[in-house]
């Protein structure tokens, strides 16, 4: 019997884990990668970029970090080298087509409008139905069409399609005499070129997430107070100067079953819901104590950086930020190298940025948008069918069963789009599940059941994440998510030995290694 051909679009962490697990099940994966090397967002980043969580929570289950990487929060280069080592170890590179731009994909099969089961019969590979993928080689400018049995989209949501705010006519970047770029363009620069680009310039960074903070710190290190960098942003999010307040490793708490007992979870039973309600005072006390520590240690009140929402909400939304060398950041604010300007909106004028709230004018030579990416648009635009594209754009978040299956789009899975506090951790779990589904180890429920499941998750996300539910985070419920995946695959979700270990010891990627 011929091996089923699986197209995997993207060779970042998600694409590599999908390729590895498809190979392990005997499929024939072919990976299309736009860039000339693997790594996704880690291929080229800002010079100072590091892991945001301890490396033990960002590793492949069956491929630990090498002893030579001693830092708890490895650098961009160390992460990239680690990812390449994984690909080499599992012989994934021969399956990757580099410099390959997927221009579109079209479905050649029966209409799906009247289906009650995924693919019409609930099978991963129905008797009829193929995907035609149009691929351009960016080096030779030649185009070919590949016909495959299944497609796994590993496009990522933090790459390629920049999210730029919309401005009224006459108030956008077009009136600005300086240069306005997205952080994607800045990150793509050689490190020396990036430093030269901002040297001696007045820079405004829009956005105070991890990328915005990194860019501002780099500008401050290059220019100092002589040419301060201003961060313009809408609201504060929680930042951690270290992951060990009071000497207690916060990741050990976040990634433990005990912590998940304290929170409500989508689709939980009455007993679990009751336990979470009864333990809510303990949950509140724990988070408040950590908030107090963070506010005090980073002097957030002094610099008007205290968020108006709870630390728990940022944990749930995946917006918590690790701040390496926090004293350097505070020093940069103190000496005027970095200035903060918080405002709900702004616009441009010919010499810079105009703050709407009080009409403050901030002169600038360069404005850098650190405003993220439009992940749903990237997924939507890859489908040539307007119908399939409409299914993707129907909600601020991409609704996926088990965070990877679009119920009404046949023979497609999405990996790496939904986020956890460790994106690698989630991507590998999802890739393993998709490979088991393709193998026929389990079947999906009906389309209606899958859509009801998606609606339950979406309502849960709205409750715990507020405005940020569209980011499709797992809300700090990675263990709960993995439990559902394990049960689908017939695996024991309790991955440790003994009740105490299962309840209080942190769960991480190494707990899910296949034996």
């Amino acid at each position: 019997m011929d091996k089923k051909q699986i197209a995997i679009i993207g060779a970042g962490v998600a694409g590599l884990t999908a390729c590895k697990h498809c190979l392990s099940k005997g499929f024939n994966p072919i990976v299309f990668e736009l860039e000339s090397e693997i790594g996704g967002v880690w291929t080229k980043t800002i010079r100072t970029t590091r892991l945001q969580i301890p490396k033990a929570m960002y590793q492949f289950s069956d491929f630990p970090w090498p002893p030579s990487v001693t830092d708890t929060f490895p650098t961009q280069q160390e992460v990239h080298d680690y990812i390449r080592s994984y690909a080499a170890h599992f012989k994934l590179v021969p399956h990757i087509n580099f410099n390959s731009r997927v221009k579109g994909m079209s479905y050649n099969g029966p209409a799906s409008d009247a289906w009650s089961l995924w693919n019409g019969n609930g099978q991963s590979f129905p008797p009829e139905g193929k995907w035609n993928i149009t691929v351009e080689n960016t080096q030779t400018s030649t185009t070919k069409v590949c016909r495959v049995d299944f497609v796994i989209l590993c496009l990522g949501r933090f790459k390629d399609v920049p999210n730029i705010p919309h401005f009224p006519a006459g108030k956008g970047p077009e009136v600005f005499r300086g240069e306005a770029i997205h952080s994607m363009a800045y990150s793509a620069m050689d490190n020396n070129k990036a430093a030269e680009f901002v040297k001696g310039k007045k820079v405004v960074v829009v956005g105070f997430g991890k990328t915005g903070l990194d860019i501002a710190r780099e500008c401050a290190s290059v220019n100092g107070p002589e040419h301060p960098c201003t961060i313009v942003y809408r609201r504060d999010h929680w930042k951690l100067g270290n992951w060990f307040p009071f000497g207690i490793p916060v990741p050990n708490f976040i990634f433990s079953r005990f912590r998940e007992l304290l929170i409500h979870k989508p689709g939980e039973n009455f007993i679990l819901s009751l336990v979470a309600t009864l333990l809510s005072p303990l949950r509140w006390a724990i988070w408040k104590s950590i908030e107090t520590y963070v506010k005090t240690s980073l002097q957030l009140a002094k610099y008007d950086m205290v968020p108006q929402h709870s630390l728990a909400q940022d944990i749930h939304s995946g917006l918590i930020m690790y701040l390496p060398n926090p004293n350097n950041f505070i020093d940069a604010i103190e000496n005027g190298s970095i200035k903060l300007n918080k405002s709900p909106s702004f616009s441009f004028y010919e010499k810079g940025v105009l703050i709407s709230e009080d009409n403050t004018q901030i002169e600038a030579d360069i404005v850098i948008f650190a405003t993220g990416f439009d992940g749903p648009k990237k997924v939507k635009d890859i489908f040539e069918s307007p119908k399939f594209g409409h299914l993707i754009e129907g909600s601020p978040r991409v609704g996926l069963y088990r965070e990877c299956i679009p119920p009404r789009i046949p023979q497609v899975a999405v990996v790496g789009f939904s986020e956890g506090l460790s994106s690698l951790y989630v991507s590998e779990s999802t890739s393993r599940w998709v490979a088991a589904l393709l193998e026929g180890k389990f079947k999906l429920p009906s389309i209606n059941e899958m859509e009801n499941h998606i609606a339950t998750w979406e309502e849960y996300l709205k409750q715990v994440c507020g405005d940020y539910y569209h980011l499709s985070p797992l809300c700090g419920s990675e263990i709960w998510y993995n439990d559902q995946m394990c049960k689908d695959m017939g695996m024991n979700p309790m991955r440790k030995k003994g009740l105490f270990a299962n309840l209080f010891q942190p769960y991480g990627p190494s707990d899910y290694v296949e034996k």
Side-chain angles (χ1 to χ4, degrees):
M1 183 178 177
D2 292 338
K3 288 185 177 180
K4 296 294 186 181
Q5 186 152 65
I6 313 298
I8 298 170
I9 302 178
V13 165
L16 294 175
T17 57
C19 182
K20 186 260 184 182
H21 285 283
C22 283
L23 281 171
S24 72
K25 300 300 184 183
F27 296 111
N28 180 28
I30 177 171
V31 183
F32 299 110
E33 170 53 47
L34 176 60
E35 306 295 341
S36 59
E37 58 180 319
I38 63 175
V41 295
W42 292 105
T43 302
K44 184 63 179 176
T45 68
I46 298 163
R47 175 176 54 85
T48 54
T49 299
R50 286 180 172 269
L51 267 186
Q52 283 281 288
I53 62 171
K55 64 185 179 186
M57 292 297 174
Y58 193 94
Q59 68 176 19
F60 301 99
S61 64
D62 49 5
F63 192 75
W65 283 87
S68 58
V69 179
T70 57
D71 199 308
T72 303
F73 302 93
T75 64
Q76 176 266 338
Q77 188 60 56
E78 289 172 323
V79 176
H80 195 206
D81 289 344
Y82 171 62
I83 293 171
R84 288 190 291 192
S85 296
Y86 172 84
H89 178 78
F90 289 106
K91 300 180 175 56
L92 306 181
V93 177
H95 300 274
I96 303 173
N97 290 262
F98 293 104
N99 305 300
S100 297
R101 183 194 308 278
V102 174
K103 301 182 71 174
M105 48 189 277
S106 62
Y107 184 64
N108 184 8
S112 60
D113 296 335
W115 288 350
S116 60
L117 296 174
W118 186 55
N119 297 340
N121 61 0
Q123 303 292 325
S124 299
F125 304 107
E128 299 180 73
K130 300 275 188 177
W131 280 98
N132 296 320
I133 302 178
T134 304
V135 184
E136 176 191 15
N137 185 304
T138 58
Q139 291 187 320
T140 63
S141 297
T142 57
T143 300
K144 65 178 181 180
V145 177
C146 296
R147 191 172 172 85
V148 300
D149 299 290
F150 197 93
V151 181
I152 304 178
L153 299 176
C154 302
L155 301 172
R157 64 181 310 140
F158 302 114
K159 198 171 179 284
D160 300 327
V161 182
N163 181 45
I164 303 290
H166 296 288
F167 298 90
K171 294 187 177 182
E174 72 279 0
V175 303
F176 177 45
R177 294 176 184 171
E179 190 165 0
I181 65 171
H182 190 268
S183 61
M184 181 174 71
Y186 180 84
S187 299
M189 296 179 187
D190 173 84
N191 291 333
N192 292 331
K193 183 179 179 181
E196 190 62 32
F197 178 68
V198 299
K199 186 176 181 180
K201 306 287 180 60
K202 291 173 285 189
V203 180
V204 170
V205 175
V206 180
F208 200 7
K210 181 66 173 68
T211 300
L213 177 62
D214 283 347
I215 295 174
R217 292 176 75 160
E218 288 198 1
C219 291
S221 68
V222 171
N223 290 326
E226 292 79 14
H227 299 283
C229 176
T230 302
I231 302 176
V232 174
Y233 66 108
R234 288 186 300 173
R235 66 187 74 177
D236 290 292
H237 291 285
W238 288 94
K239 300 166 182 61
L240 297 179
N242 65 73
W243 278 101
F244 310 97
F246 313 114
I248 301 171
V250 172
N252 288 13
F253 171 63
I254 293 175
F255 290 100
S256 72
R257 287 189 181 279
F258 172 72
R259 182 258 173 183
E260 289 207 349
L261 282 178
L262 304 180
I263 64 173
H264 291 285
K265 298 165 284 293
E268 66 187 357
N269 60 36
F270 172 77
I271 297 297
L272 289 177
S273 178
L274 179 62
V275 169
T277 300
L278 293 175
L279 293 178
S280 59
L282 177 60
R283 178 180 69 231
W284 179 88
I286 291 172
W287 286 124
K288 277 299 177 183
S289 64
I290 298 176
E291 286 180 10
T292 300
Y293 174 88
V294 172
K295 284 190 287 188
T296 303
S297 61
L298 293 181
Q299 306 178 69
L300 296 184
K302 179 179 179 180
Y303 303 105
D304 190 26
M305 291 195 299
V306 179
Q308 298 303 304
H309 54 272
S310 69
L311 174 63
Q313 181 172 324
D314 271 358
I315 289 283
H316 292 150
S317 304
L319 294 172
I320 191 75
M321 186 193 306
Y322 166 59
L323 189 64
N325 303 315
N327 290 335
N328 292 349
F329 173 65
I330 298 301
D331 289 345
I333 295 177
E334 287 283 2
N335 66 31
S337 298
I338 292 178
K339 295 183 177 181
L340 304 177
N341 195 305
K342 183 164 44 180
S343 173
S345 62
F346 74 97
S347 60
F348 283 86
Y349 74 110
E350 62 272 14
K351 292 184 179 180
V353 167
L354 179 68
I355 302 302
S356 304
E357 200 167 44
D358 55 9
N359 288 324
T360 298
Q361 294 181 341
I362 304 174
E363 291 191 8
D365 301 302
I366 297 171
V367 174
I368 302 177
F369 288 102
T371 46
F373 296 84
D374 191 343
K377 177 175 172 54
K378 183 162 59 167
V379 178
K380 168 185 173 291
D381 288 351
I382 204 166
F383 292 102
E384 294 179 14
S385 163
K387 181 182 73 173
F388 290 153
H390 177 71
L391 291 172
I392 294 298
E393 70 174 356
S395 167
R397 70 182 287 264
V398 177
L400 303 168
Y401 176 71
R402 293 287 191 252
E403 300 304 294
C404 61
I405 296 294
R408 295 188 182 273
I409 301 179
Q411 294 158 257
V412 168
V414 182
V415 175
F417 199 79
S418 296
E419 280 292 304
L421 292 171
S422 169
S423 56
L424 190 156
Y425 184 15
V426 176
S427 291
E428 186 174 23
S429 297
T430 310
S431 294
R432 182 185 295 113
W433 185 90
V434 170
L437 173 66
L438 297 180
E439 184 189 24
K441 200 164 187 178
F442 61 93
K443 291 185 178 181
L444 297 179
S446 70
I447 289 175
N448 284 340
E449 288 176 288
M450 287 195 283
E451 290 179 335
N452 288 337
H453 174 91
I454 292 169
T456 298
W457 264 94
E458 188 153 311
E459 188 58 35
Y460 170 73
L461 292 176
K462 289 178 180 178
Q463 290 176 7
V464 299
C465 301
D467 294 341
Y468 297 97
Y469 83 97
H470 65 281
L471 297 177
S472 296
L474 292 179
C475 297
S477 299
E478 282 87 348
I479 298 175
W480 177 256
Y481 173 73
N482 277 317
D483 284 354
Q484 315 312 310
M485 308 290 264
C486 285
K487 291 173 184 176
D488 289 344
M489 293 184 286
M491 294 171 56
N492 182 3
M494 307 299 282
R495 310 299 297 173
K496 298 180 182 292
K497 294 182 179 179
L499 177 62
F500 183 87
N502 271 296
L503 192 58
F504 293 105
Q505 288 183 5
Y507 264 66
S510 60
D511 291 303
Y512 294 93
V513 63
E514 294 183 273
K515 299 176 182 178

